[in-house]
Amino acid sequence: MELMNVKEFFGGIILLIIIIGLIMRAKFTKIPSWSIMSLAASITILFGLVPIYNVSNIIDWNVILFLISMFSIISIAETSGLLDYLAAYLVSSFKSRILLLYLLALFFGLLSSIMVNDAVAIVGTSLSVIIAKSLELPFEPLIILVAFSITIGSVMTPLGNPQNMLIATETNINAPLLTFLKYLAIPTIINLFLTTYFIIKYYKIKELKKEFFMGVPQEYIKNKRDAYISLIAIIIIIISLLVNDFLELYKLPHVTSIGLIPFTIAAFIYIFVSDPRQTLSKVNWGTIIFFITMFIATQGIWNSGILYEPLHLLLPHYMRGVNNILRISASSLIFSQLISNVPFTNLFIVYMNNLGYTYANVISWITLAMATTIAGNLTILGAASNIIIIDNLESKYGITITYKDFMKIGIPITLINLIVYIVYIILIF
């Protein structure tokens, strides 16, 4: 057997471990997704698809620092009661169930645009179950609404999800925060409203006007100091990223590894919170391990060459225009279902660079960010945030949403979302 065939064979084994493992864990819920990716990474190293001396260079530590910092800040916001306060305030401020659903979609969507969506998914699961009871609804419509809103909302900024962060840092596009907002903010807001409307119709949710009560919002604040610290930290991060983008636009000294901005702020505030140990203990370290091992496993799959032919069929060479947008979208939608959107993005950036795409191809990178993220609405496997939500549902409440039920509503929602984004990107382009 030729060396290339051997590499492809091993690459296929690793790919099957990831795909079958993530599908089968629906039956074996005690097996976390990060353990499957860890197994794939270890086999990648053992098979020699990634040289052991190169492992540390493959891991994008900029993304890892970004995730740790955002998980830290969201954990402070959660334990202080800040997020519960915001949700309670929303629920108690309106007397229309339908209006509340639209506002909740907007709330979770905007929240995930400034905090990594995987972190918001952790909080959103618990809040959606509580809010469902307050609105006298079954849990499934609220969970689906939160899952889709988190995914859609995270499209419009580099802060929203790890794949956007990868694109912002690895492609070196100019002023990433402003660039993302320019092309993706308006269609994201439109999609949040369209998705909510579709969910209301799909689940036949009727209007109900009454006093909805989650409790007095102020009572949810367990620690005022920590609530203020987390709120101020989030505001400073957003302002710092905006300032950094403007500095870059005007070719002034700026931070190129933007993951260091939230990490520096998080590192500064640890000593000032009530319980720094608790803050770190609340960080989703399983997700951190997932991404560290994902970088290793996906690099091994890429090195094996097994994905080259199918990728070549969809995007055979450097392209521009509408055809380019459609092909990148199709590639993202299909392959994100096989290895999830973050691993695919990590691989596809390398592939596109090899084809000749550079930082100047802004529309191509924006399309990749949009399509890989929206691919998360198609199936549970499409996004890590979906897996986190299902994990939390099963472990905390003993309930779940099946792969089939998620996909039944995911197919039309994904189609609607893609049409809105692609049309808008083409028009503004």
Side-chain angles (χ1 to χ4, degrees), residues 55-67:
V55 169
S56 61
N57 296 326
I58 289 168
I59 300 165
D60 191 329
W61 296 107
N62 188 38
V63 172
I64 300 304
L65 291 178
F66 165 79
L67 288 171

Side-chain angles (χ1 to χ4, degrees), residues 97-129:
R97 181 159 66 182
I98 298 298
L99 178 59
L100 266 170
L101 292 175
Y102 281 105
L103 289 170
L104 287 171
L106 196 61
F107 169 71
F108 282 109
L110 292 178
L111 193 64
S112 67
S113 73
I114 59 174
M115 301 179 183
V116 63
N117 64 348
D118 294 341
V120 179
I122 297 169
V123 180
T125 308
S126 301
L127 288 181
S128 59
V129 173

Side-chain angles (χ1 to χ4, degrees), residues 204-220:
K204 300 177 181 178
I205 298 172
K206 303 296 182 183
E207 176 63 294
L208 178 62
K209 294 190 175 183
K210 58 175 286 189
E211 291 278 353
F212 297 106
F213 190 63
M214 268 185 66
V216 179
Q218 288 79 3
E219 291 179 353
Y220 281 94

Side-chain angles (χ1 to χ4, degrees), residues 301-318:
I301 294 169
W302 175 256
N303 290 348
S304 75
I306 191 172
L307 292 181
Y308 183 79
E309 284 301 320
L311 283 175
H312 188 72
L313 287 172
L314 287 167
L315 190 68
H317 52 77
Y318 174 83

